[in-house]
Amino acid sequence: KQWLSSSLLSSSIPPEAIELTVAHTFISPLPYSPPSTPFVGLMRFLTLLTTHSWSSSPLIVDLNFESEPLSDDAFSECVNLCTTLSASSRPPLLICTSTDMQGMRWTRDSPSPVVWKRAVSLASASLSSLRKSIVDGREKRIRRVMGRDLSDYDVLIHLNTGVALNKACP
């Protein structure tokens, strides 16, 4: 969530969709073991965003993996429902769970295709930057991925929290 927030996308993507996508990296980590550190979790999340075929297949998140796993029939039903939707009525992000086999409960209204494409593009750039930082041993570059690049903005407004009327809103 912090990466999406620092990329200025958290308000455009439903938090439930973010949580389910992150949960997928822990529930279905194959071929790896579940992430054991926040950094590995971030890397796997970014990898999922950049490698999953969002336009042609839903993300299957089996939240009932311990009690009753999602059956092959349920999985096939989800995939079939998602592939029969027309491109204009299909959200850019479909997440199927045992309680939402159509995959649109959390993503019917947002994110928009443009926002999702931007999120995937930023994930790809961040992942590339993180990998390069690891190889080069440059810790400062790793921290920069979590910061905001404000160079694209024409105007920045900095608020002085000492004179703000509402102290909760810096």
Side-chain angles (χ1 to χ4, degrees):
K1 281 186 168 182
Q2 183 180 351
W3 175 82
L4 284 166
S5 179
S6 69
S7 301
L8 305 176
L9 294 170
S10 60
S11 63
S12 303
I13 301 172
E16 297 86 358
I18 297 167
E19 293 290 338
L20 287 169
T21 307
V22 170
H24 183 272
T25 64
F26 287 87
I27 294 170
S28 305
L30 296 177
Y32 309 106
S33 60
S36 58
T37 66
F39 182 75
V40 173
L42 173 65
M43 294 288 288
R44 301 257 182 91
F45 172 73
L46 295 174
T47 301
L48 174 63
L49 288 186
T50 59
T51 59
H52 187 77
S53 179
W54 299 103
S55 61
S56 62
S57 67
L59 183 67
I60 310 293
V61 182
D62 188 5
L63 297 174
N64 298 328
F65 66 97
E66 288 181 358
S67 58
E68 190 174 315
L70 204 58
S71 69
D72 290 339
D73 292 338
F75 175 80
S76 298
E77 176 189 348
C78 178
V79 172
N80 290 337
L81 281 170
C82 295
T83 55
T84 58
L85 294 171
S86 68
S88 60
S89 65
R90 185 182 196 278
L93 167 64
L94 292 171
I95 303 173
C96 293
T97 65
S98 57
T99 59
D100 178 25
M101 294 310 293
Q102 291 185 342
M104 294 190 290
R105 176 179 290 164
W106 311 115
T107 59
R108 179 175 286 120
D109 300 322
S110 65
S112 70
V114 171
V115 168
W116 189 245
K117 186 175 180 180
R118 175 78 173 149
V120 171
S121 173
L122 287 172
S124 179
S126 294
L127 190 59
S128 175
S129 178
L130 286 171
R131 285 180 176 155
K132 185 172 178 10
S133 298
I134 291 168
V135 170
D136 295 346
R138 298 175 71 186
E139 186 178 315
K140 288 184 180 182
R141 288 185 104 191
I142 293 172
R143 290 188 186 139
R144 192 169 54 191
V145 168
M146 298 305 283
R148 292 185 177 123
D149 179 14
L150 302 175
S151 62
D152 291 337
Y153 295 94
D154 294 328
V155 176
L156 297 176
I157 299 173
H158 298 277
L159 301 177
N160 183 346
T161 57
V163 296
L165 294 176
N166 186 348
K167 300 290 183 195
C169 299

